[in-house]
């Protein structure tokens, strides 16, 4: 089996793009906390970012389709990623206010009223699981007093009125610099996702089932970057007291700049037709398309819960005495990338061809349900490893399914806009998942959060299946079609294609007739000239 040279640049893009973003995007919440943002504010930021980026994502797709400037929007998205992710390293830490910090009594007169330097380091996830700490209601972390000496520090609340930490952050320029970097990189991230899927499906044409074979190289890039950057950061930070992520920033800059050159010279077809808003609404405002769009949102909510709270659940189940936490978290990333996601991205096209979009989505919802419920009953942290194999049948099938479906129902000239709509529904819903999951995690704990989410996902899977069967009977059209294409969309695209071919044939015939007539006129003139000479 030879190499598909036509799709090779797309594979290179996926690898470089995910190799570049992998070292930082996964750990941005940890970096944000290390820079002085309280954990509860970090949760608010990651709830707000998806909603703010919705406007950017949908606007970028529409602009690309209307102006047919897919490459320019694509490149701009990469610039919006690499610039803030690189600049983030030089954003200063947010200073802690002495007025809002607790005072430590029973210390020497030379001691500062600030918490010990180790307190800021304890905000990292690894420290939370290995060091005994106490969390106050305001989210601050203080040393535990379990093994204290005779002189025990006690925390007293200042009696003078003081501003809340949230108000202080809003007055800090360092916080707004940090938030600006996070926002711009997230907008660039979602824009690049829209454009890369659009371009990939344009290159694939009717071979949409091969999408996973391209996207899998992104998974390989994420896995390798996590291993390489993690090792380099640990080595570079040795003896510094806290993590220094300079190697991760360098890897991000190098690979994303390389990706800029790949995209700049990427050859892909540009749609010749400009789409009207009424045509787009007519294509998307159909019952079965709306059903898949809603299901995409449900997958986004569930993914938001998993992405935000899975590792927190692992830490909670493992407990403070578990000494292999970093090893386990690294192995979980490896299982998700290489043993679960990568194989199913390759097989997703065949699964969709065999089952159809509706049944494939139903299977992925069942995979999410089983995975979430199994998480809720785990008592041995090592059991998370085999359960994470379900990441393949859940996310590894769902993501290629709704992206290929968006490509199949997109009218000619509106591929980027349609991908942006489905992508906005997915990524916007991840923010909802993070918000709802955070409230559940605080109210009922990690295990019950995943139990309730899994049960709700299972109920929706049944509702989705029944709704699809009902729509199939009422409209006599199903999502299950040959090649993964929606039947109605296939007919419409075929009609548009036939009309375009007839128009081109008419133009060719007209040009041919004009050329023939001109040739006869020339010949007539030459004959008359000959007769005149004679």
């Amino acid at each position: 089996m030879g190499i598909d040279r036509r799709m090779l640049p797309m594979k290179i893009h996926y690898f470089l793009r995910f190799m570049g973003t992998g070292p930082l995007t996964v750990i941005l919440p940890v970096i944000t906390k290390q820079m002085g943002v309280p954990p509860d504010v970090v949760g608010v930021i990651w709830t707000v970012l998806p909603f703010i980026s919705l406007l950017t994502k949908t606007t970028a797709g529409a602009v690309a389709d209307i102006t047919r400037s897919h490459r320019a929007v694509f490149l701009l998205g990469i610039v919006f990623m690499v610039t803030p992710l690189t600049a983030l390293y030089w954003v200063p830490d947010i200073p802690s206010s002495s007025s809002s910090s607790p005072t430590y009594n029973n210390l020497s007169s030379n001691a500062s009223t600030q918490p010990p330097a180790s307190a800021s380091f304890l905000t990292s996830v690894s420290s939370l699981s290995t060091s005994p700490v106490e969390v106050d209601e305001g989210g601050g972390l203080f040393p535990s007093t379990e093994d204290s000496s005779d002189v025990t520090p006690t925390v007293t609340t200042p009696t003078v009125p003081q501003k809340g930490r949230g108000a202080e952050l809003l007055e800090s320029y360092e916080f707004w610099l940090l938030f600006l970097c996070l926002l711009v990189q997230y907008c660039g991230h979602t824009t690049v996702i829209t454009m890369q899927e659009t371009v990939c499906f344009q290159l694939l044409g009717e071979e949409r089932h091969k999408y996973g074979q391209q996207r899998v190289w992104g998974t390989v890039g994420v896995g390798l970057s996590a291993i390489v950057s993690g090792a380099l950061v640990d080595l570079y930070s040795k003896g510094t007291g806290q993590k220094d992520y300079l190697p991760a920033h360098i890897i991000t800059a190098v690979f994303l700049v390389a990706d800029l050159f790949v995209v700049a010279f990427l050859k892909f077809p540009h749609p010749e037709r400009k789409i009207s808003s009424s045509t787009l609404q007519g294509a998307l405002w159909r019952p079965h398309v709306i059903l898949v769009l809603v299901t995409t949102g449900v997958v986004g909510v569930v993914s938001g819960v998993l992405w935000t709270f899975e590792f927190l659940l692992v830490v909670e189940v493992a407990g403070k005495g578990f000494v292999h936490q970093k090893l386990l978290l690294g192995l979980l990333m490896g299982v998700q990338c290489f043993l679960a996601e990568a194989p199913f991205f390759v097989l997703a096209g065949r699964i969709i061809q065999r089952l159809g979009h509706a049944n494939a989505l139903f299977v992925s919802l069942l995979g999410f349900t089983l995975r979430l419920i199994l998480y809720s009953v785990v008592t041995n942290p090592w059991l998370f490893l085999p359960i994470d194999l379900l990441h393949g049948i859940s996310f590894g099938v769902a993501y290629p399914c709704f992206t290929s479906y968006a490509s199949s129902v997109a009218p000619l000239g509106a591929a980027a806009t349609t991908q942006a709509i489905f992508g906005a529904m997915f990524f916007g819903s991840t923010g909802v998942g993070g918000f709802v999951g955070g409230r559940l995690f605080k109210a009922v704990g990690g295990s019950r959060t995943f139990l309730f989410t899994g049960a709700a996902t299972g109920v929706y899977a049944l509702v989705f299946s029944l709704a699809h069967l009902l729509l199939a009977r009422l409209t006599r059209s199903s999502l299950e079609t040959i090649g993964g294409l929606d039947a109605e969309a296939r007919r419409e695209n075929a009609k548009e294609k036939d009309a375009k071919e007839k128009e081109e044939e008419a133009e060719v015939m007209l040009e041919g007739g004009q050329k023939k007539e001109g040739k006869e006129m020339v010949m007539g003139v030459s004959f008359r000239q000959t007769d005149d000479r004679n």
Side-chain angles (χ1 to χ4, degrees), residues 83 110 137 235 260 279 333 349 364 369 372 375 381 433 454 470-471 487:
T83 303
N110 296 328
E137 294 179 356
L235 182 63
L260 275 173
T279 304
M333 285 290 296
S364 69
T369 301
L372 290 163
Y375 280 161
L470 180 62
L471 288 175

Side-chain angles (χ1 to χ4, degrees), residues 208 270 295 357 409 463:
R208 292 181 178 88
H270 295 273
T295 305
H357 285 97
V409 300
V463 172

Side-chain angles (χ1 to χ4, degrees), residues 444-474:
V444 300
S447 296
R448 289 190 177 183
T449 296
F450 282 85
L451 177 62
F452 294 161
T453 307
T457 306
V459 171
Y460 179 79
L462 296 178
V463 172
F464 169 78
S465 181
L466 293 175
H468 166 66
L469 293 176
L470 180 62
L471 288 175
R473 288 194 176 188
L474 292 177

